[in-house]
Each structure stands twice: as structure tokens, then as C-alpha cells.
Amino acid sequence: MKRSQIKRRPLADTVLERLEPEAAEYREYDSDGLYFRVKPNGSKSWNLRYKRPSGKWAWKGLGRFPQVSGRAAREKADELLKIASNGEDLATHGKEEVPAVLFKEAAEDWYSRKVAEGLAEKTLRLMRDTLDNDVLPEIGETAAAEVTRADCTQAIEKIEDRGAWEVAKKARGWISNIFSLAIAQGRCELNPASELSHVARKAPATKHHPHLLEAELPAFLKALSRSNSLYTTRAAVYMVLLTASRPGMVRYAEWSEVDLDKALWLVPAGKMKKGRDHLVPLPSQLIPTLKSLEEMTGLGQYLFPGARKNPVISHTTINAALSQIGYKGKLVGHGARHTASTLLNEHGWRDSYVDMQLSHKMGGIRGVYNKAKYLEQRRQMMQWYADYLDALQQGITVAQKEQFKSRVIG
């Protein structure tokens, strides 16, 4: 029978037997504090809702139906509610006192398992950043058994508030998985993050990252040359600009991946969105900058190390440097890729070269069979691009434009 057909409570055992499962788990009120839970797979059990000494509401399982009848469940519920009213915590009633497991402990256990599974470095990095910056500051110090749905929702809403919709989507699943593991380990009984997708805000329509067109580049390049940001920050901006690389790739670039003599940067597959090694030619203008940077950070792992416990510079560093020179809302680090793509395509560079430089996936049969990296062609293209930016900054002439046009490999 449908739960909408229930006519009286407490629920008769014949009603309990006939209640049908639905697409989502649901609970039906039976009597004081007692609820009957039905899962989508047809599993049925009893849950008692009670108030803990801390004042927070919690659930306690009273057994599965039909092994525990309605009458037996009500008797047990009455007994436990009396115990709870005397100030005892039902979560520890009848058990040896065990220290409560904090959510951060459950999260670290889950994360260590993901590391052991050998997930891609990029995925692990996003998990780590999301836990450290978004989730643990909100619920990390709360006992896993005491985290509520409202707590989880609040943590996700803060991610949504800054427009990180994909991160919010992934975080909902990760938090739910952390609780699922904790339940399996006996560290808590319920998963307060199991239904977060139902309260997720709808992401706005995709917008292109703010970027510049050719006519806007001379003023921008002059402003960038006058930047008073830290040398490491300026170097990161120039590396994003002159290689058309994703800011995250640049931030996590390692000295072991860069060969300044060959002017090449090999980004391993584990760091790439498409899961494949990516060779990036380095224009000659970038080499002196990176050699100077090597004197500053070359003894460490990363080109752009962060402060305190952060392994690399913050994800906001590059955009902050662009805002500082007057380009807030006009250009972001990722938008530099759009700028490069637009300018290179407008000047006649072959799509396949541009797509490979930006590590875009080629469509159709071409994408399946064309495994060429076009390294030499891309080396010429990105050197052309760096030279063209220099000419724009200095004030390019009509004659120079013709010279640049003759260098394009179409």
C-alpha cells in the first residue's frame, strides 16, 4: 500500500508489511519519537528520534522489521525515551564509553584510502583542497555522529556562494562517502549528507572567463610590466600568459618537469584534465624569468611554493595580481587561454596546433586517430605569440604585422 493510504497510528503490523518502497528512503511517524523507515530496496526498520544531552536531535536504530514488531519497537522506544529524559546519551547507552570520532578523523581515514587507490594527482589535490579549505573548517571538529543535515548543507552553501559549482557537486558526494565509510566502521549510524542533492542550488548558465581581445592587449601588457607584485607571482602570470596553460597547471609546476636548456615543460598525465602527458614549449622570453626564479625556489619541489602549510601559491594569487593592475573583471588567469586561442586562430594558426597547445580534446574521428603532439609546430607558434605580444606592447607597425603574417604556419 502507499503511505498516503495510512489512516491511523500507531501503525498496525499488517500496514507495516504492506507499505511499499519509493524511489527515495522515507520515514513514517508511528508514535512518540518512533518512526518506521522504508528504503528503496524494500528494507524496513525502526528509528527512534531523541534529544541528546547536548540539545541536538539524533536517531537511534531499534532493529529491522518484521524481526522487531510494532509492539516490541514501541516498548523499547518508551524505555529508551525515559533513559534519555534522565540526561543519558542513548548513543552510548549500554556500551563501553568510547571517545567520539570527530568528522575530521573520519575524513582523513577516507582520504588516505583514496590515496591508496592511486587516484589521479589532480583529483587527490582537489579533494585535499576542498577538505582543508571548505569542509573541515565547518564540521571537522564536530563528532561524526553529531553532524546534522543542516551542518552539511551550510558547508556546501559556502562553496556555492563563491560560484564553485563543480566543486560543490563533488563535495556533496565526498562528504556522503565519508559518512558511508564511517557507518560501515561503526563510527556513526546515519548519513546526514545522503540527500544533499535535493537542496543543491542550480548553477547559472556557463559564462566565458573574462578575457582580452587584441586591441586591449597593448595597454594590458604595459600595465603588467609595471606590476609591483612579488617576483614569484609575476613569473606565474607570465607563465600562464606565454604558454596558454591552465593556472592550476602552472601553480603546481615542479622543477623536475621543466627543462630550461630544451625550453620544454612536461606535465605528467596525473596532473592533466584529459589524463595524458602534455608537452609545453617555453618561448625564449620566458626562459630568463624562469632562470631567475630557479635561483629563488629551485631547491624546492615547486616553481611557485606557497606560504605556511600551502605547498604552492593560492588559487587566487594570479587573479589578484591581475586585479591589482586594474584588470579585475576584465581578465582572469584562465581567460588568458581564451585570449591566446582567439588571437592565434584569428591570425591563421591551424586549429589542431592551438587545440593541442591548450590540451583540448579534438572531436570526431580526428580526435580518435590524431595522436600527433605537433611539438615543433607549437614551438614556432608560441614563439610567434610571445614575439607578437612584445610587438603589441611596443606599438606594432603595419610592416611588422606583415612580417608576423609571413611566419604563420597554416
Side-chain angles (χ1 to χ4, degrees), residues 253-259 264-266 268 271 298 300-303:
E254 301 180 35
W255 285 113
S256 61
E257 302 165 355
V258 176
D259 188 330
L264 275 178
W265 170 27
L266 172 59
K271 289 186 175 183
Q301 178 180 359
Y302 297 103
L303 275 69

Side-chain angles (χ1 to χ4, degrees), residues 124-403:
L124 291 173
R125 189 165 67 239
L126 181 59
M127 286 178 174
R128 185 74 264 170
D129 288 349
T130 303
L131 286 173
D132 291 343
N133 299 327
D134 298 312
V135 180
L136 297 184
E138 293 294 320
I139 58 177
E141 297 297 331
T142 304
E146 295 185 7
V147 176
T148 65
R149 294 188 187 278
D151 293 333
C152 295
T153 300
Q154 182 175 334
I156 296 299
E157 284 179 344
K158 290 194 173 182
I159 302 176
E160 292 174 334
D161 285 343
R162 69 169 191 267
W165 304 103
E166 279 301 311
V167 175
K169 180 180 178 180
K170 292 178 185 295
R172 285 193 290 272
W174 293 337
I175 296 173
S176 182
N177 291 341
I178 290 169
F179 278 110
S180 293
L181 175 61
I183 290 171
Q185 295 172 325
R187 291 176 156 186
C188 62
E189 294 184 7
L190 298 173
N191 184 345
S194 61
E195 307 298 330
L196 288 179
S197 61
H198 295 291
V199 294
R201 283 185 258 167
K202 185 177 180 181
T206 302
K207 296 181 179 179
H208 290 301
H209 296 283
H211 61 282
L212 302 177
L213 299 178
E214 181 173 333
E216 302 169 291
L217 287 173
F220 162 71
L221 293 166
K222 291 174 183 175
L224 182 58
S225 69
R226 297 190 296 268
S227 169
N228 59 2
S229 295
L230 293 174
Y231 187 86
T232 51
T233 301
R234 298 200 307 274
V237 173
Y238 276 111
M239 193 164 176
V240 167
L241 183 66
L242 296 179
T243 64
S245 297
R246 295 181 178 89
M249 285 169 50
V250 170
R251 289 170 50 232
Y252 280 91
E254 301 180 35
W255 285 113
S256 61
E257 302 165 355
V258 176
D259 188 330
L260 294 179
D261 293 330
K262 294 182 180 179
L264 275 178
W265 170 27
L266 172 59
V267 187
K271 289 186 175 183
M272 294 302 298
K273 189 175 182 180
K274 302 300 180 184
R276 64 190 181 204
D277 290 342
H278 183 50
L279 273 172
V280 182
L282 303 174
S284 61
Q285 288 88 335
L286 194 56
I287 301 302
T289 300
L290 295 183
K291 285 185 175 179
S292 296
L293 183 68
E294 188 177 26
E295 295 178 3
M296 301 170 62
T297 68
L299 294 179
Q301 178 180 359
Y302 297 103
L303 275 69
F304 307 105
R308 299 186 181 90
K309 296 182 180 180
N310 299 318
V312 298
I313 57 175
S314 165
H315 66 281
T316 62
T317 301
I318 292 173
N319 289 346
L322 295 173
S323 296
Q324 188 182 51
I325 61 172
Y327 280 81
K328 184 176 182 179
K330 300 176 184 178
L331 177 67
V332 294
H334 209 94
R337 289 164 55 80
H338 197 138
T339 294
S341 176
T342 302
L343 192 147
L344 291 169
N345 279 293
E346 285 180 348
H347 283 273
W349 286 94
R350 190 179 296 180
D351 290 347
S352 52
Y353 302 166
V354 178
D355 287 342
M356 186 61 70
Q357 180 65 24
L358 272 63
S359 188
H360 283 167
K361 185 176 181 180
M362 298 180 187
I365 297 297
R366 183 168 69 109
V368 175
Y369 293 107
N370 191 349
K371 301 300 182 183
K373 294 187 182 296
Y374 299 120
L375 180 58
E376 288 309 312
Q377 295 93 329
R378 290 192 293 119
R379 188 187 290 279
Q380 294 180 56
M381 180 179 72
M382 296 313 292
Q383 187 58 57
W384 179 98
Y385 182 60
D387 292 344
Y388 195 77
L389 293 183
D390 282 348
L392 287 175
Q393 180 179 344
Q394 295 163 12
I396 193 168
T397 65
V398 174
Q400 285 177 313
K401 283 197 173 187
E402 287 301 315
Q403 291 175 356

